[in-house]
């Protein structure tokens, strides 16, 4: 395992099966936090599904924004 303070940017419109596969690729990382991007393209139901998915994997969504660019529009939770 590799321990570091890491952030993984995830688009809010991603399919949960694809997301699961991506997270499996990063299984060597421990305790990383998620930045949820493209929230303006996903409805509340989809964002809730992704939030529940991360909660089930004991991962925290640290921030979200409404575009793919991580800049001053980043909203920390």
């Amino acid at each position: 395992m590799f321990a570091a303070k890491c952030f993984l940017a995830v688009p809010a419109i991603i399919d949960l099966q694809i997301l699961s596969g991506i997270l499996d690729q990063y299984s060597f990382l421990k305790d990383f936090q998620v930045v949820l991007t493209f929230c303006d393209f996903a409805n509340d139901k989809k964002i809730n599904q992704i939030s529940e998915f991360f909660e089930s994997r004991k991962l925290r969504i640290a921030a979200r924004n409404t575009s793919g660019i991580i800049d001053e529009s980043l909203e920390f939770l």
Side-chain angles (χ1 to χ4, degrees), residues 13-21 46 49-51 53:
I13 54 177
I14 195 167
D15 180 83
L16 294 181
Q17 288 182 322
I18 294 171
L19 179 57
S20 181
K46 179 66 174 176
Q49 286 176 336
I50 287 185
S51 297
F53 175 84

Side-chain angles (χ1 to χ4, degrees), residues 27-71:
S27 62
F28 61 93
L29 293 175
K30 184 179 176 184
D31 297 330
F32 63 89
Q33 296 180 21
V34 175
V35 176
L36 199 58
T37 62
F38 293 105
C39 290
D40 50 339
F41 292 103
N43 59 30
D44 289 338
K45 181 180 177 184
K46 179 66 174 176
I47 291 174
N48 287 338
Q49 286 176 336
I50 287 185
S51 297
E52 289 171 4
F53 175 84
F54 283 121
E55 285 175 15
S56 72
R57 289 187 169 233
K58 308 246 188 289
L59 296 171
R60 180 177 177 269
I61 297 177
R64 64 173 77 157
N65 74 343
T66 56
S67 70
I69 301 169
I70 299 176
D71 58 10

